[in-house]
Amino acid sequence: MKVLLKYAGVFILFNFAFQSIFGGNVDINVDVPANAYIGDQIVIRYDINRITNKISLTDSSANFKVSYGPSISSYNTISTYNGDSTMEKGTTFMYGLVAQRTGVIALPQAIIMVDSIKYVSKATEINVLALDSVDKVTVNKKKHFAKLLFSSNAVYKQEPIIVQLKVYSTSEPMSIDSVEMPKYDDFLQYDFTPTQIKLQKDTINGIVYNSAVLSKLALIPLKAGDICINKVHLTCNILTPIQKEKPSLFDRIFDSGKEELISLITDSAVIHINNFPEHQPLDFNNISGKNLVISTKVMDAVIFKNRPFELNIEISGNANLRFMCEPDIHFPAHFELIKKETCNNSNINGDHFLDTKIFHYEIQANKSGIFTIPSFSFSYLDLDLKKYKRLTSKPINVKIQN
């Protein structure tokens, strides 16, 4: 759950802060899971849209033990899109808390100082559950467990991350009862979860497990800093064979075992997001990727004057291209642009996110002859080289017949 919080205090002081600090509202967001189990580490995050390192928490020692924190990360970025620049500033504070009792409990409030002005977050609650709050058996972690698997835990802004939720069991999983997924508010999300859950065999430390992928996402980080991914809580039904000293033939054929409801919890994770390097080129397109290529194709074999023809420009590679700006193409003077369209095709190959963006143009020439559609270029952050790289298309020669 996410709670939008604003400074509450003397109106005149608030109004002064509103006008003087970067010309906008001072907002605090609190991010914390809706539920947690007693004894689990709860990650709570306070985000403020200002640069500061001064924070304290109200006393909550009767309810929570602070296991770590504060972890502090700040960002100060300027984004340009279609010629418009936007500045974003902010600081993220993260704490680890361990609940000391069950029930609906008030979390500690953050007291954050910005330019000698105190901002206090609004009260937020969490529902702390007992470990036996669901009807389940005691889970043997060597026999049953779940994992969040990340393709990388240190990336650049806009670099795709593949995350899978995978469950493992020495028994045969029957069905998933409930799943409480973490929030990915600081990411764009593309869902590639299989429509049907398929079992496969995995061997870990010499033990053979039945495993299944329950969720598969591509995450595109939107801001720099350390981002905490909370634990996943899930319950599932498994089929456990009934052990008998002398099973009869009837038992072997018809007794498939008994169903048990178990609860599984993954570990939490922290993903470090690096900001774009300094000295961005003017034609930088806010893309982090690798293996990017440009291909161009005139779709018509023969082109006549005053008749429309089609041109496709395709950009593909291991990058998120969905929000890529349209190429700056200067068509010849005798060409008229009738229609343009764009489409994307994204998929996953193993731990690699693949994206293709096609710019489709319908053009008409009002004069015959041989014309050249000039090349265009853009820059992106090459993840193999760890530096900016310019990609340039080839010019296209077009013969227009009478």
Side-chain angles (χ1 to χ4, degrees):
M1 56 184 165
K2 202 162 220 180
V3 184
L4 183 63
L5 310 168
K6 296 184 179 176
Y7 169 70
V10 180
F11 175 77
I12 296 175
L13 185 60
F14 175 86
N15 192 49
F16 172 78
F18 174 83
Q19 294 178 1
S20 62
I21 303 178
F22 305 114
N25 286 324
V26 177
D27 295 331
I28 302 175
N29 289 324
V30 180
D31 196 14
V32 68
N35 301 295
Y37 289 90
I38 191 165
D40 284 351
Q41 179 171 267
I42 304 164
V43 177
I44 182 169
R45 192 176 77 184
Y46 304 95
D47 294 298
I48 186 168
N49 57 343
R50 295 295 182 267
I51 302 297
T52 181
N53 61 0
K54 298 178 180 179
I55 186 173
S56 60
L57 299 181
T58 57
D59 182 34
S60 60
S61 56
N63 297 323
F64 298 97
K65 177 183 177 182
V66 178
S67 56
Y68 77 87
S71 169
I72 304 174
S73 61
S74 299
Y75 61 92
N76 188 347
T77 61
I78 299 177
S79 302
T80 303
Y81 182 77
N82 288 339
D84 296 328
S85 296
T86 303
M87 177 180 289
E88 294 183 353
K89 296 184 178 183
T91 305
T92 296
F93 303 92
M94 289 196 301
Y95 287 87
L97 307 176
V98 178
Q100 304 298 297
R101 65 179 183 86
T102 60
V104 178
I105 309 173
L107 289 158
Q109 293 174 263
I111 303 171
I112 302 175
M113 300 295 295
V114 180
D115 293 343
S116 301
I117 301 174
K118 182 170 69 175
Y119 298 88
V120 182
S121 64
K122 189 178 177 181
T124 310
E125 295 179 333
I126 188 171
N127 185 24
V128 180
L129 305 171
L131 289 175
D132 57 355
S133 58
V134 296
D135 183 18
K136 62 182 185 297
V137 299
T138 301
V139 178
N140 185 330
K141 291 186 178 180
K142 289 186 178 180
K143 292 186 176 181
H144 320 288
F145 60 93
K147 282 188 174 183
L148 274 178
L149 304 174
F150 296 88
S151 58
S152 178
N153 58 6
V155 297
Y156 281 91
K157 278 176 60 177
Q158 291 292 325
E159 179 180 350
I161 306 168
I162 309 303
V163 55
Q164 300 181 76
L165 171 60
K166 199 168 182 180
V167 63
Y168 301 81
S169 177
T170 53
S171 303
E172 183 178 346
M174 294 289 291
S175 63
I176 303 301
D177 188 63
S178 66
V179 179
E180 184 181 333
M181 294 291 291
K183 295 181 179 179
Y184 298 109
D185 294 330
D186 296 315
F187 301 86
L188 293 174
Q189 301 178 46
Y190 302 113
D191 194 345
F192 295 94
T193 301
T195 53
Q196 291 185 339
I197 297 177
K198 296 182 179 180
L199 289 180
Q200 62 185 50
K201 299 290 185 181
D202 281 318
T203 301
I204 302 175
N205 296 328
I207 302 175
V208 179
Y209 293 91
N210 292 301
S211 65
V213 175
L214 305 185
S215 173
K216 192 171 189 177
L217 303 174
L219 303 179
I220 313 297
L222 299 176
K223 71 176 187 179
D226 290 326
I227 300 177
C228 183
I229 309 299
N230 289 324
K231 300 177 182 181
V232 177
H233 295 260
L234 61 96
T235 56
C236 60
N237 288 288
I238 62 169
L239 189 65
T240 303
I242 298 175
Q243 301 296 330
K244 294 184 178 181
E245 293 184 3
K246 295 181 179 181
S248 64
L249 178 63
F250 183 87
D251 291 332
R252 295 192 186 101
I253 297 175
F254 296 103
D255 193 354
S256 57
K258 65 175 182 177
E259 286 191 28
E260 294 179 327
L261 182 65
I262 64 173
S263 177
L264 304 177
I265 304 172
T266 69
D267 291 332
S268 58
V270 175
I271 309 297
H272 179 71
I273 312 300
N274 295 297
N275 210 342
F276 294 131
E278 296 181 345
H279 311 300
Q280 297 176 9
L282 293 177
D283 60 351
F284 178 54
N285 222 332
N286 285 335
I287 294 172
S288 298
K290 51 188 176 181
N291 305 320
L292 265 65
V293 295
I294 301 175
S295 62
T296 56
K297 184 177 182 180
V298 176
M299 308 304 289
D300 303 72
V302 181
I303 305 172
F304 294 95
K305 182 178 70 174
N306 295 327
R307 293 187 186 178
F309 68 94
E310 296 180 341
L311 168 68
N312 276 1
I313 296 176
E314 182 179 296
I315 302 168
S316 60
N318 303 118
N320 175 45
L321 303 174
R322 189 152 302 196
F323 299 107
M324 179 181 178
C325 298
E326 180 185 351
D328 185 16
I329 302 174
H330 300 281
F331 291 104
H334 298 286
F335 282 27
E336 177 187 358
L337 181 60
I338 299 174
K339 185 173 66 173
K340 58 184 178 181
E341 299 174 334
T342 61
C343 66
N344 269 82
N345 181 24
S346 306
N347 59 76
I348 290 177
N349 182 12
D351 283 341
H352 300 289
F353 178 78
L354 308 174
D355 202 3
T356 300
K357 185 154 192 173
I358 298 174
F359 297 91
H360 177 81
Y361 300 91
E362 190 173 322
I363 308 166
Q364 181 172 291
N366 56 24
K367 185 177 180 179
S368 59
I370 297 177
F371 300 90
T372 299
I373 299 175
S375 63
F376 69 92
S377 64
F378 67 91
S379 294
Y380 69 98
L381 177 60
D382 188 297
L383 296 173
D384 285 331
L385 302 176
K386 301 294 189 294
K387 64 181 183 180
Y388 297 107
K389 181 177 180 180
R390 179 168 283 111
L391 195 62
T392 304
S393 68
K394 295 180 179 180
I396 308 167
N397 294 321
V398 181
K399 182 179 181 180
I400 309 297
Q401 300 185 17
N402 282 315

